[in-house]
Amino acid sequence: KQVTGVTWSPCGQFLASTSYDKTVQIASFDFATQQTKTIAVLKAHTKEVNSVTWSPCGKFLASGSYDKTAHIWDFDVDTGQGEDVAQFKDTHTRAVNSVSWSPCGQFLATGLHDKTIRVWTGS
């Protein structure tokens, strides 16, 4: 599978990646051995996932896909479990190429294939 996006968690212990297999994968990183170990595979997208970002607090991830959706995941690093808690469906007319949290974590921006940006509020 081709990796299409990757991002470090704010604590620096985890990596989230996206790929053409329609998933977001979370891996732990061992600094001593410089090895990664997959701890979770998050599935909800129906087409290739091309962007992922951690929220500033490190509890949430956002992902964007060619399926014209963005998803917010609540990820528990202690259990390795991720829950799809919000979906932005029927709001994007083109593929979601990128996602980015604001520094305060209150807003999520989505960049679309049609050269537009949308901003969503989380509170």
Side-chain angles (χ1 to χ4, degrees), residues 54-102:
W54 291 90
S55 66
C57 69
K59 181 171 173 52
F60 299 99
L61 292 121
S63 58
S65 170
Y66 284 110
D67 65 8
K68 303 178 187 175
T69 67
H71 290 256
I72 296 178
W73 306 86
D74 183 349
F75 185 71
D76 185 333
V77 295
D78 294 325
T79 65
Q81 298 294 311
E83 180 182 0
D84 186 11
V85 295
Q87 308 83 35
F88 300 102
K89 299 178 182 178
D90 303 321
T91 56
H92 299 104
T93 58
R94 301 294 296 268
V96 179
N97 291 333
S98 61
V99 289
S100 180
W101 291 99
S102 65

Side-chain angles (χ1 to χ4, degrees), residues 22-87:
K22 307 174 193 173
T23 67
V24 176
Q25 294 196 19
I26 312 299
S28 61
F29 182 71
D30 184 323
F31 286 91
T33 64
Q34 297 187 3
Q35 299 292 313
T36 59
K37 178 183 178 186
T38 301
I39 59 172
V41 179
L42 309 178
K43 298 177 182 180
H45 289 286
T46 60
K47 291 190 177 178
E48 298 90 341
V49 185
N50 50 9
S51 182
V52 65
T53 185
W54 291 90
S55 66
C57 69
K59 181 171 173 52
F60 299 99
L61 292 121
S63 58
S65 170
Y66 284 110
D67 65 8
K68 303 178 187 175
T69 67
H71 290 256
I72 296 178
W73 306 86
D74 183 349
F75 185 71
D76 185 333
V77 295
D78 294 325
T79 65
Q81 298 294 311
E83 180 182 0
D84 186 11
V85 295
Q87 308 83 35

